[in-house]
Amino acid sequence: MTSFADPAKPDHVAIIMDGNGRWASGRGLKRIFGHRKGVEAVRRTVEAARLSGIRYLTLFAFSSENWKRPKDEVSDIMELISIFIHRELQNYHAQNMRFQMIGEREGLGPKVLGALEAAEHLTRGNTGLHVVVAVNYGSRAEIARAAVALAREAVDGRISPDEINEALISGRLDTAGIPDPDLIIRTSGEQRLSNFLMWQSAYSELVFLPCLWPEFSRDMFDEALREYARRTRRFGGVDEPASAMTGS
Ligand code: FPP
C-alpha cells in the first residue's frame, strides 16, 4: 500500500535505530547504557514525528536475530521496552497516538508482550500518530508466516492458489493495513536493511546518517525529512508533476 497525500512529506517514516552499543563503548560504558540513552532518543523521535504531522512511525527495537546477543543484554532491552511503554502510555494515549507491535509474539516474555498488547488494546481507536514497534521482528520470518497463512487458506478452499497476488501477500504481513514506509532512516553509518521491512521497502527512500542512535535529534529528524523532500520518486515510472500522482 502506498500513499501520496503530500508528495513532499512522508506519510510513514521507519527507523533502524543503530549504534547504541558503539555509543556506550566509545565512552567506556557497558552496552546497556547505550540502550538506555537510546530510549531518550526514542522519546525525542516520537515527539518530532508527532509535531511534524507524519501519520506512521515504525521503530526497529529488537530483531529476530538479536536473540544471539548476551542474555543480559537481551533482557535489558526487553525491560527498557516494557518500562518505556509503562511510563509513556497514558501520555501518548492522551495525545491520541496509536500503538501497534509487529514481529513474532511467540517467544517474547510475558512482561514485554503484556505491555505491548495493553498499549495496542488501549490505543486501538486512536487516530493520531500511529507508532509501530518492531519487536522480535524479521522480514523473512514475517514473509514466511504470510506464506503459511495463504497456504492454509488455499488448502481450506477459502482462496485459489491462482488468486495469490501482491495485495493478498501484503494483507497477511504483520503490517497489513499500514502504508509502506516512504522513508527509512538508519543511524550509525551502516548502509543496509538488516531484514527490516524488506517487502514493504520496495520503493522506500533510504537515508543513512552517520550519528549513533543515542545522538539522534529533532534537527536530524527534520533534516531527513528535508532530504526526503528533495528526492524524486518514480515508482518505476517516469517523472510526473506531484499533482498527477494517484496511488499504487
Ligand atoms: C541497535 O544498536 C539497537 C538495538 C538492537 C536496540 C534498540 C533498543 C532501544 C533503542 C531501546 C528500547 C526501544 C524502545 C522502542 C523503547 P546496537 O546495540 O546494535 O549498536 P551497535 O551496532 O553499536 O552495537
Side-chain angles (χ1 to χ4, degrees), residues 17-23 31 34-36 38-39 42 59-63 66 69 73 77 80-81 84-85 133 188 190 212-213:
M17 311 183 285
D18 196 13
N20 292 348
R22 274 164 283 171
W23 183 91
R31 296 174 57 82
H35 297 312
R36 278 192 201 159
V39 175
V42 168
L59 299 169
F60 199 5
F62 191 87
S63 79
N66 286 154
R69 294 184 177 216
E73 182 174 347
I77 294 174
L80 287 174
I81 297 170
F84 171 78
I85 292 172
V133 187
S188 92
E190 308 291 354
L212 302 173
W213 176 250

Side-chain angles (χ1 to χ4, degrees), residues 131-179:
V131 179
V132 180
V133 187
V135 184
N136 195 17
Y137 175 85
S139 227
R140 289 183 174 180
E142 178 193 34
I143 293 168
R145 284 199 304 279
V148 170
L150 287 169
R152 287 221 172 93
E153 290 172 46
V155 167
D156 293 350
R158 283 176 281 150
I159 56 167
S160 145
D162 298 327
E163 269 175 67
I164 296 174
N165 58 18
E166 294 178 18
L168 275 192
I169 295 171
S170 292
R172 302 306 181 279
L173 297 174
D174 297 355
T175 52
I178 296 174

Side-chain angles (χ1 to χ4, degrees), residues 88-164:
E88 304 298 334
L89 184 56
Q90 290 305 332
N91 174 31
Y92 287 167
H93 180 45
Q95 296 184 83
N96 194 27
M97 284 186 210
R98 181 169 168 194
F99 260 88
Q100 183 176 344
M101 177 208 150
I102 57 170
E104 180 81 84
R105 290 171 197 242
E106 209 180 299
L108 284 178
K111 197 168 163 195
V112 71
L113 186 60
L116 288 160
E117 291 188 337
E120 287 183 324
H121 184 73
L122 179 69
T123 64
R124 68 194 182 287
N126 291 350
T127 55
L129 176 65
H130 190 140
V131 179
V132 180
V133 187
V135 184
N136 195 17
Y137 175 85
S139 227
R140 289 183 174 180
E142 178 193 34
I143 293 168
R145 284 199 304 279
V148 170
L150 287 169
R152 287 221 172 93
E153 290 172 46
V155 167
D156 293 350
R158 283 176 281 150
I159 56 167
S160 145
D162 298 327
E163 269 175 67
I164 296 174

Side-chain angles (χ1 to χ4, degrees), residues 1-5 166-167 170 179-180 182 202-203 233-237 244-248:
M1 208 195 298
T2 306
S3 84
F4 297 96
E166 294 178 18
S170 292
D180 290 341
D182 301 293
Y203 288 101
R233 303 184 75 189
R234 285 184 284 275
F235 301 93
M245 297 168 96
T246 51
S248 171

